[in-house]
Amino acid sequence: AWLIGVGGFLPTTLLGLYHGIPYSATSLKPHSDVDCWLCIHAVSMWLWCLAVAMQFWSGGQSQVQVKAIHRCAGYLGVGALSSGMMSGGIIYTIKYDFLVHDQIAPGYYTIVISVFAWVNMVVAIAKARQHRTAEHKDFVLMAF
């Protein structure tokens, strides 16, 4: 899921950086509805991707310093996921899918995915704090 996300949004991110405007992942054209919520979403989700890469590298290792990196990257990841899902998955979706474009079904789907990704990540943190590693990993994967 992580590779699909990175691979799917990397071309639009590079196009957006080159042209100076966010690009749509569905059309590979300049995004029609750009606002601060979309920009916060894009930056947050790339921070999340970085944190996830660090999590994959550091998870399950026994060195104290690597465990600390894993914990810090985890909190960075959940913070970025929270910010990205709130700004892009909920606020931006309500604003444009529901209020501007009257696209109820895609908007509903996006909000449900955003909320449950966040819920699974919060449960994953609770499982990690309880030292229930297998369940922690299960909930992290469900959040993806």
Side-chain angles (χ1 to χ4, degrees):
W2 181 83
L3 287 175
I4 292 169
V6 170
F9 286 101
L10 185 59
T12 59
T13 299
L14 294 175
L15 283 168
L17 290 171
Y18 181 77
H19 293 288
I21 185 169
Y23 266 59
S24 170
T26 55
S27 67
L28 290 179
K29 295 179 181 170
H31 215 292
S32 60
D33 300 315
V34 177
D35 65 4
C36 67
W37 299 114
L38 181 65
C39 295
I40 292 168
H41 172 72
V43 170
S44 295
M45 297 320 295
W46 278 111
L47 283 174
W48 178 78
C49 286
L50 175 66
V52 168
M54 292 172 65
Q55 291 295 96
F56 284 149
W57 166 75
S58 62
Q61 295 192 33
S62 60
Q63 300 93 339
V64 174
Q65 295 89 351
V66 176
K67 284 184 173 186
I69 290 170
H70 187 76
R71 190 170 29 262
C72 291
Y75 284 115
L76 171 67
V78 80
L81 181 70
S82 299
S83 172
M85 292 295 104
M86 179 58 77
S87 62
I90 296 176
I91 296 171
Y92 183 86
T93 299
I94 290 171
K95 183 177 178 181
Y96 289 104
D97 285 359
F98 292 160
L99 302 177
V100 174
H101 298 296
D102 198 31
Q103 297 177 336
I104 303 304
Y108 173 77
Y109 171 80
T110 302
I111 288 176
V112 168
I113 291 293
S114 299
V115 168
F116 284 102
W118 185 83
V119 167
N120 278 304
M121 196 57 72
V122 169
V123 173
I125 291 171
K127 298 299 179 187
R129 287 182 176 171
Q130 296 167 356
H131 303 284
R132 295 164 67 177
T133 306
E135 292 171 282
H136 166 69
K137 291 177 182 180
D138 285 344
F139 279 96
V140 167
L141 289 176
M142 286 189 285
F144 286 172

